[in-house]
Amino acid sequence: MTTANPFALTALLFAAGITLCGAQLRVDFNSTNQDGGPHNLAGFQSYQAGHEVSADFNAARTYTAFGTTVSLTVNYPDATANTTKQMIDRPDTSWVGAWPDLLTDWIGVDTRTTEGGKGAYNGTTGVPTRLVFKLTGVPAGTYTWRSYHHDTSNQNMNFAVQLSTNGGTSYAPVGTYEMTAGVASEDPAQTGSADPDPRNLSSTITFPITAVAGQDVLVRFVPYSSSSDISQAILACNGFELFDPANPPPGPPVVLPPQPTGTYAIDFGTAGSPTQSGFAPLLGADSSAVSINGATFELRPNNLVSAYRPAVAGKLTSDFVYNPATNETAGIVVRITNLPAGPYRLESWHYDPNVTGGIIQIEKRPAGTFNSTILTAQFPFSETAALTSFTSDGTPFEIVVRENSPSNITRWNGLRITSGLIDSTPVRPNTPWVFRTLMENRTRLLVAALHSNLWLSFNPGNCCIDRAWSGGMRFYGKVFDDSQRNSWINGPMYHRFPNSIFEATDESAFPAGWTVDSGSVDHTSATQGTSFINSLRDKRANRWFKFIGTTTVTSATYDLSRHNEIVMFYEERQAVGTNWNLLPGSGSLRIQVSENNGATWTSQDFFSTEPNLTNQFNLKEIISRSPNTRFRFTGQNGQYANITLEGEYQGWTASDSAGPINLTPNWLGYRTLNRDDSVTLRYQLRLAGGAIVLVEETPEALPQTTGAPKLERRFAVTGLPAGTTVSLRLSGDPAWSTYTESWNRTGVGALRTTGGVTYLDFAANGTATVTSSWTP
């Protein structure tokens, strides 16, 4: 058995005198007139200057990298005084981790007006005092930038980073960051890290750079400075690395702190990728092994290789082990020996930002056999861990990860095994695990991340579960990425409530029952570009409906009598441009609504939101509630995509001996117990005549050893008048899921199936528990 880890490999490289400086550019900034410097870190090339010696900063330095010569020029474009030009070497020894020669000295800019800077700047108000690194001669290609921003004293300024790959003609924003400091300042949370690897500091930043032949690459640092706080006055950079992401430079040889008793955490990676804090590194290669708390974990031979995606923020999910397609059936196997007998919780991460699909299956089997027990099936690619339970009898066994399609998309970022059962204490896959957000064009849904394989969205408008799915979410919108987009599910859908009336989102054909009454429609061209929605959800097609000449299309007949808040949505483009504007301009789309199956078209008649506006998303409320509603679309040379009609389906109904009773749901909010133990949804059902029925619903995931988790819904009903029945539709829309739903009930109430749809009927106050199961 061979022991291999990236830190041991790094130590061997340094011992052999191999610097690898030709494969990447690694620069350490060093002072020549402080603390007996310069103190250059081995494996890095040195940039040396005297502190506040202005002439030392003027000349470009040349370095050997990428098989050529690359020059670095440091510029201070907003200040000329020598006192703004910092090259500090700290005697402070507060940094006790690896690479002290890198972390204890730095280049910087002093923003104080007394030192020649521009003073306070918060990103909007004031004038910045910027620091610019210009790289000349970088060969064309894709690189990863990683720079270090730590002061072993008290500087912990916020700063923005901007990038230019066209010689400074224009800059694009990269992000906003905060330095870490070695001693407490006004922000104690930014005083460093217990992890000895400086690559894991929160102030260490990485981002991709695509260099263009003959164009300088400029990285510009913009300090967010304070005029009153010295710890927010100086921006610092210890050094940087520019490297091929497929060939990252080695990290430091560090000794990681021991893991707590009963915990076994492993981060699979490459020789140059950083390790998640609290995890042990394991090189993603055949026979690599590591021992943690007396147990040994070995990657079994299967032509294993590893990869690193350094632009990913999370250290754990930025690297992974995988096997080639020819070995896909065998999967990735970790053999575990000397794990004490008992129950355990397994957290397992499977993510690659370059892969958009895939279903992972996790199995457990005795070492050396092929008789597997499926622990977690149908777990999709996600930054969220798969969570499951297993038991150990103390004998060697193997955990197997495989993806059962022909494509090679098995990835394994890491695992953590903890003593105890997952069912005893819920482990929620997101923080916060209950929140409200815009999701899939549905307004302000409540999301509950019950389990890594079971997320729910709940619609306060109709007080019904809207969706149930596996694998987390893609988070977009103002609170997540400052965009106008809204979030989307990121895995298989178990259940979707019938809020969708129609979705013409596969532009290769219209929905069933639609007709082209005049003109013609091009369904076939895949070169017309990709709509905005298509980039977020696989259901959306990679083309547009193109109306040839004057074209009229009529929809099928739809029953709108059970829906409220009905909205028509479609995308339209009208000008030549890039990406999704590749065809000539179009006119506005006219939409007519009929409430009598097309006999007349006078219910509504409207056009696109902005005639002749380049690229628009159209939203229009539909007033019809007729069971015989049709729509007619007329356009001339127009291009349209994702024509959808959605409304809030009335899932709750009421009746008594005299027949149906009008009912209005009223959302009252939710509450959590002990933050993570449970969530209870509260709502009222207001009946015609004034009665109010209070319902409290508590959903929970019941993890299974195979397949999808079961959903348990506990209902408490009060205020129901005698002789009255309230009913909830349980069935989802089968058109949106490949899973078959089934239900069991205990307590008050009864299950009823009518016309293939299952309902839960309450004829008396009390509590009931319904368990929903899904099978492929």
Side-chain angles (χ1 to χ4, degrees), residues 1-21:
M1 183 180 297
T2 302
T3 299
N5 67 65
F7 299 121
L9 175 62
T10 301
L12 290 174
L13 291 171
F14 282 130
I18 302 173
T19 64
L20 301 178
C21 64

Side-chain angles (χ1 to χ4, degrees), residues 520-574:
S520 62
V521 177
D522 177 5
H523 294 279
T524 61
S525 176
T527 63
Q528 297 179 30
T530 301
S531 78
F532 167 72
I533 296 295
N534 181 53
S535 66
L536 301 181
R537 188 152 181 260
D538 296 338
K539 285 284 186 183
R540 314 293 170 153
N542 186 26
R543 52 175 66 89
W544 293 71
F545 296 118
K546 180 186 177 184
F547 283 23
I548 308 300
T550 300
T551 298
T552 298
V553 176
T554 303
S555 77
T557 301
Y558 296 100
D559 182 357
L560 306 188
S561 62
R562 290 291 301 272
H563 292 82
N564 294 318
E565 304 295 334
I566 301 173
V567 175
M568 170 81 71
F569 168 82
Y570 64 94
E571 299 177 60
E572 179 177 356
R573 61 179 179 182
Q574 299 183 357

Side-chain angles (χ1 to χ4, degrees), residues 502 512-515 553-558 601 629-633:
F502 65 71
W514 288 38
T515 60
V553 176
T554 303
S555 77
T557 301
Y558 296 100
W601 295 93
T629 303
R630 300 184 76 182
F631 299 87
R632 188 162 68 186
F633 306 88

Side-chain angles (χ1 to χ4, degrees), residues 351-374:
Y351 180 71
D352 178 356
N354 291 358
V355 174
T356 58
I359 300 297
I360 297 297
Q361 181 167 291
I362 302 175
E363 305 168 14
K364 177 178 178 287
R365 68 191 186 195
T369 73
F370 295 93
N371 300 318
S372 294
T373 298
I374 298 176

